mmCIF file of all heavy atoms in Angstrom:
data_model
loop_
_atom_site.group_PDB
_atom_site.id
_atom_site.type_symbol
_atom_site.label_atom_id
_atom_site.label_comp_id
_atom_site.label_asym_id
_atom_site.label_seq_id
_atom_site.Cartn_x
_atom_site.Cartn_y
_atom_site.Cartn_z
ATOM 1 N N PHE A 152 109.322 108.869 109.125
ATOM 2 C CA PHE A 152 108.630 107.720 109.732
ATOM 3 C C PHE A 152 108.598 107.775 111.252
ATOM 4 O O PHE A 152 108.288 106.786 111.908
ATOM 5 C CB PHE A 152 109.294 106.418 109.260
ATOM 6 C CG PHE A 152 109.272 106.251 107.765
ATOM 7 C CD1 PHE A 152 110.385 106.551 106.987
ATOM 8 C CD2 PHE A 152 108.113 105.841 107.121
ATOM 9 C CE1 PHE A 152 110.363 106.427 105.599
ATOM 10 C CE2 PHE A 152 108.063 105.714 105.729
ATOM 11 C CZ PHE A 152 109.197 106.005 104.972
ATOM 12 N N LEU A 153 108.898 108.945 111.836
ATOM 13 C CA LEU A 153 108.946 109.013 113.308
ATOM 14 C C LEU A 153 107.558 108.856 113.918
ATOM 15 O O LEU A 153 106.550 109.247 113.312
ATOM 16 C CB LEU A 153 109.574 110.325 113.766
ATOM 17 C CG LEU A 153 108.924 111.658 113.418
ATOM 18 C CD1 LEU A 153 107.800 112.005 114.369
ATOM 19 C CD2 LEU A 153 109.978 112.754 113.474
ATOM 20 N N GLU A 155 105.142 109.881 117.147
ATOM 21 C CA GLU A 155 105.050 110.832 118.251
ATOM 22 C C GLU A 155 105.296 110.068 119.554
ATOM 23 O O GLU A 155 104.936 108.893 119.685
ATOM 24 C CB GLU A 155 103.673 111.495 118.276
ATOM 25 C CG GLU A 155 103.541 112.532 117.181
ATOM 26 C CD GLU A 155 102.189 113.208 117.204
ATOM 27 O OE1 GLU A 155 101.572 113.321 118.273
ATOM 28 O OE2 GLU A 155 101.745 113.623 116.108
ATOM 29 N N LYS A 204 105.516 106.035 101.976
ATOM 30 C CA LYS A 204 104.968 106.584 103.222
ATOM 31 C C LYS A 204 103.482 106.204 103.405
ATOM 32 O O LYS A 204 103.095 105.654 104.445
ATOM 33 C CB LYS A 204 105.127 108.115 103.208
ATOM 34 C CG LYS A 204 104.461 108.829 104.352
ATOM 35 C CD LYS A 204 105.111 108.508 105.683
ATOM 36 C CE LYS A 204 104.233 108.937 106.826
ATOM 37 N NZ LYS A 204 104.895 109.739 107.801
ATOM 38 N N ASN A 208 102.144 103.549 106.390
ATOM 39 C CA ASN A 208 101.187 103.906 107.449
ATOM 40 C C ASN A 208 99.890 103.094 107.321
ATOM 41 O O ASN A 208 99.342 102.638 108.318
ATOM 42 C CB ASN A 208 100.872 105.412 107.397
ATOM 43 C CG ASN A 208 101.818 106.198 108.310
ATOM 44 O OD1 ASN A 208 102.766 105.658 108.837
ATOM 45 N ND2 ASN A 208 101.543 107.481 108.474
ATOM 46 N N PHE A 249 102.987 96.557 116.691
ATOM 47 C CA PHE A 249 101.709 96.985 116.117
ATOM 48 C C PHE A 249 100.679 95.863 116.046
ATOM 49 O O PHE A 249 99.806 95.844 115.193
ATOM 50 C CB PHE A 249 101.904 97.697 114.762
ATOM 51 C CG PHE A 249 102.393 99.095 114.965
ATOM 52 C CD1 PHE A 249 103.681 99.331 115.418
ATOM 53 C CD2 PHE A 249 101.558 100.185 114.785
ATOM 54 C CE1 PHE A 249 104.132 100.621 115.670
ATOM 55 C CE2 PHE A 249 101.999 101.484 115.036
ATOM 56 C CZ PHE A 249 103.292 101.695 115.479
ATOM 57 N N ASN A 251 99.108 95.193 119.049
ATOM 58 C CA ASN A 251 98.452 95.352 120.344
ATOM 59 C C ASN A 251 96.995 95.721 120.133
ATOM 60 O O ASN A 251 96.692 96.801 119.614
ATOM 61 C CB ASN A 251 99.144 96.452 121.173
ATOM 62 C CG ASN A 251 100.538 96.003 121.593
ATOM 63 O OD1 ASN A 251 100.761 94.829 121.901
ATOM 64 N ND2 ASN A 251 101.479 96.923 121.576
ATOM 65 N N SER A 253 93.388 97.091 120.826
ATOM 66 C CA SER A 253 93.075 98.315 121.556
ATOM 67 C C SER A 253 91.667 98.765 121.248
ATOM 68 O O SER A 253 90.966 98.125 120.460
ATOM 69 C CB SER A 253 94.062 99.420 121.151
ATOM 70 O OG SER A 253 93.872 99.751 119.786
ATOM 71 N N PHE A 256 92.940 102.755 116.777
ATOM 72 C CA PHE A 256 94.058 103.691 116.590
ATOM 73 C C PHE A 256 93.500 105.076 116.300
ATOM 74 O O PHE A 256 92.372 105.245 115.847
ATOM 75 C CB PHE A 256 94.980 103.231 115.456
ATOM 76 C CG PHE A 256 94.290 103.062 114.119
ATOM 77 C CD1 PHE A 256 93.941 104.152 113.345
ATOM 78 C CD2 PHE A 256 94.007 101.781 113.637
ATOM 79 C CE1 PHE A 256 93.309 103.994 112.121
ATOM 80 C CE2 PHE A 256 93.370 101.611 112.401
ATOM 81 C CZ PHE A 256 93.022 102.716 111.649
ATOM 82 N N GLY A 257 94.326 106.085 116.589
ATOM 83 C CA GLY A 257 93.934 107.470 116.318
ATOM 84 C C GLY A 257 95.141 108.285 115.976
ATOM 85 O O GLY A 257 96.129 107.761 115.446
ATOM 86 N N CYS A 260 97.884 110.954 112.101
ATOM 87 C CA CYS A 260 98.466 110.315 110.918
ATOM 88 C C CYS A 260 97.646 109.173 110.343
ATOM 89 O O CYS A 260 97.165 109.252 109.219
ATOM 90 C CB CYS A 260 99.874 109.844 111.236
ATOM 91 S SG CYS A 260 100.931 111.191 111.780
ATOM 92 N N PHE A 319 96.286 110.559 122.319
ATOM 93 C CA PHE A 319 95.945 109.477 121.361
ATOM 94 C C PHE A 319 96.848 108.263 121.536
ATOM 95 O O PHE A 319 96.552 107.181 121.032
ATOM 96 C CB PHE A 319 95.960 109.986 119.914
ATOM 97 C CG PHE A 319 97.318 110.030 119.257
ATOM 98 C CD1 PHE A 319 97.710 109.013 118.403
ATOM 99 C CD2 PHE A 319 98.187 111.075 119.484
ATOM 100 C CE1 PHE A 319 98.951 109.039 117.767
ATOM 101 C CE2 PHE A 319 99.436 111.122 118.860
ATOM 102 C CZ PHE A 319 99.826 110.101 118.007
ATOM 103 N N LYS A 320 97.937 108.441 122.277
ATOM 104 C CA LYS A 320 98.855 107.349 122.593
ATOM 105 C C LYS A 320 99.753 107.794 123.742
ATOM 106 O O LYS A 320 99.671 108.955 124.177
ATOM 107 C CB LYS A 320 99.695 106.975 121.373
ATOM 108 C CG LYS A 320 100.522 108.157 120.858
ATOM 109 C CD LYS A 320 101.406 107.790 119.709
ATOM 110 C CE LYS A 320 102.572 106.946 120.173
ATOM 111 N NZ LYS A 320 103.580 106.765 119.136
ATOM 112 N N GLU A 384 97.657 104.113 126.445
ATOM 113 C CA GLU A 384 98.621 103.113 126.918
ATOM 114 C C GLU A 384 99.851 103.707 127.615
ATOM 115 O O GLU A 384 100.975 103.284 127.375
ATOM 116 C CB GLU A 384 99.032 102.192 125.761
ATOM 117 C CG GLU A 384 99.862 102.834 124.624
ATOM 118 C CD GLU A 384 99.015 103.462 123.515
ATOM 119 O OE1 GLU A 384 98.018 104.154 123.822
ATOM 120 O OE2 GLU A 384 99.392 103.304 122.343
ATOM 121 N N ARG A 409 93.325 99.204 126.728
ATOM 122 C CA ARG A 409 94.712 99.067 126.264
ATOM 123 C C ARG A 409 95.411 97.826 126.817
ATOM 124 O O ARG A 409 96.634 97.687 126.677
ATOM 125 C CB ARG A 409 95.520 100.321 126.651
ATOM 126 C CG ARG A 409 94.987 101.608 126.047
ATOM 127 C CD ARG A 409 95.202 101.655 124.560
ATOM 128 N NE ARG A 409 94.795 102.933 123.991
ATOM 129 C CZ ARG A 409 95.067 103.315 122.754
ATOM 130 N NH1 ARG A 409 95.732 102.521 121.950
ATOM 131 N NH2 ARG A 409 94.661 104.456 122.303
HETATM 132 C C1 UGA B 1 102.550 106.890 112.858
HETATM 133 C C2 UGA B 1 103.602 105.905 112.322
HETATM 134 O O1 UGA B 1 103.833 104.859 113.280
HETATM 135 C C3 UGA B 1 104.933 106.628 112.038
HETATM 136 O O2 UGA B 1 105.850 105.711 111.455
HETATM 137 C C4 UGA B 1 104.662 107.791 111.092
HETATM 138 O O3 UGA B 1 105.839 108.537 110.817
HETATM 139 C C5 UGA B 1 103.631 108.724 111.698
HETATM 140 O O4 UGA B 1 102.400 107.974 111.945
HETATM 141 C C6 UGA B 1 103.369 109.848 110.724
HETATM 142 O O5 UGA B 1 102.848 109.582 109.627
HETATM 143 O O6 UGA B 1 103.754 110.992 111.001
HETATM 144 P P1 UGA B 1 102.060 108.042 115.233
HETATM 145 O O7 UGA B 1 100.724 108.373 114.652
HETATM 146 O O8 UGA B 1 102.861 109.132 115.872
HETATM 147 O O9 UGA B 1 103.025 107.379 114.116
HETATM 148 O O10 UGA B 1 101.864 106.922 116.377
HETATM 149 P P2 UGA B 1 101.799 105.312 116.398
HETATM 150 O O11 UGA B 1 102.759 104.829 117.405
HETATM 151 O O12 UGA B 1 101.900 104.739 115.039
HETATM 152 O O13 UGA B 1 100.314 105.053 116.947
HETATM 153 C C7 UGA B 1 99.165 105.379 116.181
HETATM 154 C C8 UGA B 1 97.905 104.891 116.879
HETATM 155 O O14 UGA B 1 97.836 103.452 116.834
HETATM 156 C C9 UGA B 1 97.815 105.259 118.358
HETATM 157 O O15 UGA B 1 96.487 105.654 118.653
HETATM 158 C C10 UGA B 1 98.178 103.988 119.079
HETATM 159 O O16 UGA B 1 97.625 103.884 120.355
HETATM 160 C C11 UGA B 1 97.594 102.940 118.135
HETATM 161 N N1 UGA B 1 98.208 101.601 118.225
HETATM 162 C C12 UGA B 1 99.523 101.434 117.913
HETATM 163 C C13 UGA B 1 97.436 100.511 118.598
HETATM 164 O O17 UGA B 1 96.221 100.640 118.866
HETATM 165 N N2 UGA B 1 98.019 99.262 118.632
HETATM 166 C C14 UGA B 1 99.332 99.083 118.320
HETATM 167 O O18 UGA B 1 99.799 97.909 118.368
HETATM 168 C C15 UGA B 1 100.099 100.191 117.963
#
Side-chain angles (χ1 to χ4, degrees):
F152 301 100
L153 62 82
E155 285 181 29
K204 173 67 194 231
N208 268 8
F249 283 71
N251 291 324
S253 66
F256 58 75
C260 302
F319 83 99
K320 59 177 288 190
E384 68 272 43
R409 299 291 184 168

